[in-house]
Amino acid sequence: MAGLSLDLLALQIFTGLALGAVYVLLATGMSLIFGMLTVVNFAHGAFFALGAYAGFLVLALGGNFWLALLAVPIVTGLLGMAVEWGLVRHLYGRGIDDPLLLTFGLSYVLVELIRIFAGTQGLPFDTPDALAGAVDIGIGYFPLYRLFVIAMTVTILFLLWLFLERTRIGLIIRAGARDPEIMRVLGVDTGRVWRLVFGLGTAIAGLAGLLAAPLQGVSPEMGNAILADAFVVTVVGGMGSLAGAIIAGLLVGVIVSLTALFAPEAGDVAIFALMAVVLLIRPQGFFGRAGLMS
Amino acid sequence: MLRVHDLNAWYGPSHVLQGVGFEVGVGEIVCLIGRNGAGKTTTLKAVMGLIARRGGRVLLAGEDILARPAHARFARGLAYVPEERRIVPGLTVGENLRLGLIATRRFGDAGREIAAMATLFPRLGERLDQIAVTLSGGEQQMLAIARAMIAGPRMIMLDEPSEGIMPALVDEMFALFARMKQSGTTILLVEQNVERALEIADRAYILDQGVIVHEGRARALLQDAAIKERYCSV
């Protein structure tokens, strides 16, 4: 490892943080949905892909990236709420398996719909002009767009935190995740809140897909691979824990990035090995509550 | 205020309530007594709308609310404090009180409403920023009652409020129920502490194996040793 400088290592860690930021967004949405609805959303990756394609459509129709940044979460959020209303809500109270199978099937349908309307081939997605190029961050030159992805993730998480901690609906969500029945007794129509939470999760997933698009292009299957990674993040961080999603997301991003540098052949295995170790030592994940699945 | 006719409820295959009927007049304290497993908690849950399989009629101020979800019953002025208190973990005392207003138009004024509640419940007022589940059992019970009362319900149903609470606080609690009655709140009380409950109640119903077996003035029941012996020993 003679050629390895500290700067290169630091840059690779930074690259990992940018990748981790996308994981964090996906896992945050999944955790939010699981924490409140006890639904493991296997369609989360499909909403990720839909977000990227919705952004592609906005650009194709003459809009710019900034407009897409606004429109995509609205579109995937509303679609998520429609899915909750039409499909998911009928399975509440039927254990964890039924909604899991439903969303698993739904993800195939959504990906197939993308293939039908947008083709099976991947499409290029340009980095917006204002965010092209690289900047010197002290340890070397780093792509500006990746910095933007990190900054956007921090902003989204901050807004989410404000929403959960400082608003009325946020208080309902925090309390409802712990005890939905008492919320109904106190006059809350929890069905509407659950719909909103599902939509919030899919809105963030769509936004993550849009943010990831310039990094990797768009393809119908783009959500499948990242869903597996986001799952690892959710399990390692603890199902239902937002803090866990953030810390585990960044950790997994950095591990993926460093594995790519040191042992590329172990690339796909490293994070699953991490998950196995965490599950052995701490089955509920970093911040998960024990016995949530039982 | 509340009229219940032929209320039936099932948990899975077991037919827990088999045609329960009773009335609670405006401004009354009515006590529902009976042995463990008689169906008291199930009756309150069914009246609140928390039992999936139920039948009969539940009239609140003349309107049949049986088909309505729990949150709609709350909106019509019916409050319920479950036996387990259900203080929400992770939230402070103040936030738990805020939850009592969350579905009402007065949520914007929560600060003032909570201050008003704090004068009624000084123990809670001193601990608004404390995580609520770290309160003592009695304080948590007070919090659960305050949370149900803050929205100003017309009627409140209390399930075993004195259970597991130290005697000094039990006195405080029964004094509180008398004050709630004076201020016009109708109360349906389920209580193991039968003597204390009958002392403040107007009337009482005795529930046994899912049916009402006796009703009467609270004072008369208080003196009827045979009835108490037969239905109220745990």
Side-chain angles (χ1 to χ4, degrees):
Chain A
M1 292 287 166
L4 183 70
S5 72
L6 221 55
D7 281 0
L8 180 59
L9 187 66
L11 269 180
Q12 198 66 18
I13 288 176
F14 225 76
T15 304
L17 290 180
L19 177 64
V22 176
Y23 291 148
V24 168
L25 289 179
L26 267 177
T28 299
M30 284 177 73
S31 247
L32 204 59
I33 291 172
F34 180 78
M36 184 115 187
L37 283 57
T38 331
V39 169
V40 182
N41 184 20
F42 261 84
H44 219 67
F47 281 98
F48 176 83
L50 278 172
Y53 275 90
F56 190 88
L57 189 66
V58 170
L59 296 186
L61 294 173
N64 60 33
F65 187 74
W66 312 105
L67 182 67
L69 223 40
L70 201 68
V72 164
I74 295 174
V75 168
T76 54
L78 287 177
L79 193 66
M81 287 170 80
V83 163
E84 195 276 351
W85 181 81
L87 300 169
V88 178
R89 75 180 166 123
H90 305 292
L91 302 181
Y92 291 148
R94 296 211 350 211
I96 203 162
D97 307 345
D98 290 6
L100 189 150
L101 290 170
L102 172 81
T103 53
F104 187 71
L106 178 69
S107 72
Y108 277 91
V109 173
L110 291 176
V111 168
E112 200 56 40
L113 283 173
I114 293 175
R115 289 194 186 118
I116 290 168
F117 287 103
T120 55
Q121 295 293 310
L123 301 164
F125 198 109
D126 291 336
T127 305
D129 291 341
L131 299 171
V135 283
D136 190 350
I137 55 169
I139 49 173
Y141 281 88
F142 193 72
L144 180 59
Y145 184 74
R146 283 170 197 251
L147 280 182
F148 172 76
V149 170
I150 295 173
M152 272 302 289
T153 302
V154 171
T155 308
I156 292 164
L157 291 175
F158 178 68
L159 291 176
L160 185 66
W161 178 82
L162 273 186
F163 173 69
L164 289 175
E165 290 293 325
R166 293 282 181 270
T167 69
R168 175 181 189 152
I169 298 172
L171 180 57
I172 295 177
I173 291 172
R174 280 185 296 142
R178 309 288 186 114
D179 190 345
E181 186 176 270
I182 201 67
M183 298 312 291
R184 287 197 286 279
V185 167
L186 294 172
V188 174
D189 180 354
T190 47
R192 279 166 60 188
V193 180
W194 288 346
R195 195 157 313 135
L196 186 78
V197 167
F198 199 90
L200 193 61
T202 56
I204 298 173
L207 202 53
L210 173 66
L211 287 173
L215 300 175
Q216 60 178 75
V218 299
S219 70
E221 298 80 15
M222 66 187 288
N224 299 3
I226 205 156
L227 180 73
D229 296 350
F231 247 112
V232 172
V233 170
T234 320
V235 170
V236 168
M239 300 286 287
S241 161
L242 297 187
I246 294 168
I247 289 171
L250 296 177
L251 179 68
V252 167
V254 168
I255 287 177
V256 167
S257 180
L258 290 182
T259 321
L261 184 65
F262 290 115
E265 61 279 8
D268 291 338
V269 185
I271 61 169
F272 291 100
L274 168 76
M275 179 167 80
V277 170
V278 169
L279 283 177
L280 282 173
I281 298 169
R282 201 176 154 76
Q284 72 271 38
F286 292 163
F287 293 94
R289 282 168 278 167
L292 214 52
M293 307 284 278
S294 58
Chain B
M1 175 62 61
L2 181 75
R3 298 175 100 141
V4 173
H5 295 291
D6 193 29
L7 183 63
N8 286 269
W10 291 262
Y11 280 127
S14 71
H15 191 180
V16 184
L17 299 185
Q18 308 180 3
V20 168
F22 63 93
E23 276 183 46
V24 185
V26 175
E28 266 192 319
I29 296 183
V30 169
C31 200
L32 198 57
I33 49 191
R35 286 202 196 91
N36 277 341
K40 304 180 302 278
T41 295
T42 308
T43 302
L44 298 194
K45 283 191 169 181
V47 170
M48 196 64 214
L50 300 173
I51 306 274
R53 216 180 136 210
R54 73 276 181 271
R57 298 213 304 156
V58 176
L59 301 167
L60 184 70
E63 183 194 0
D64 193 347
I65 56 168
L66 192 80
R68 301 208 176 265
H71 65 87
R73 303 184 192 206
F74 171 90
R76 283 163 177 74
L78 185 62
Y80 166 53
V81 181
E83 188 177 1
E84 325 84 73
R85 299 163 193 144
R86 306 291 273 270
I87 299 305
V88 180
L91 302 189
T92 64
V93 172
E95 284 175 320
N96 266 282
L97 283 174
R98 219 169 269 268
L99 289 181
L101 288 170
I102 207 146
T104 72
R105 289 204 191 87
R106 307 210 313 281
F107 185 73
D109 273 335
R112 202 181 324 149
E113 302 278 352
I114 288 171
M117 265 295 152
T119 60
L120 215 61
F121 297 87
R123 286 165 190 280
L124 301 179
E126 293 158 16
R127 295 171 173 80
L128 288 178
D129 295 325
Q130 191 175 325
I131 293 294
V133 288
T134 63
L135 295 176
S136 75
E139 288 162 349
Q140 287 191 36
Q141 185 65 56
M142 288 293 190
L143 175 58
I145 295 171
R147 184 177 65 185
M149 287 299 292
I150 197 168
R154 294 192 284 178
M155 174 167 173
I156 185 165
M157 301 187 290
L158 300 154
D159 196 354
E160 308 281 7
S162 78
E163 193 185 30
I165 290 175
M166 61 181 194
L169 265 177
V170 172
D171 291 342
E172 205 176 300
M173 196 170 290
F174 278 97
L176 171 71
F177 299 155
R179 280 209 305 281
M180 281 158 56
K181 175 187 159 75
Q182 272 167 18
S183 65
T185 311
T186 304
I187 300 175
L188 178 59
L189 182 61
V190 165
E191 200 29 271
Q192 289 286 356
N193 198 338
V194 175
E195 305 264 334
R196 297 300 301 271
L198 289 177
E199 277 168 22
I200 62 158
D202 298 291
R203 294 185 303 112
Y205 291 85
I206 296 177
L207 193 62
D208 191 46
Q209 297 182 6
V211 289
I212 298 285
V213 292
H214 190 88
E215 68 165 294
R217 309 291 309 169
R219 195 129 328 144
L221 278 171
L222 201 51
Q223 281 146 14
D224 193 333
I227 285 272
K228 275 191 292 186
E229 176 70 22
R230 186 153 168 218
Y231 294 112
C232 307
S233 47
V234 179

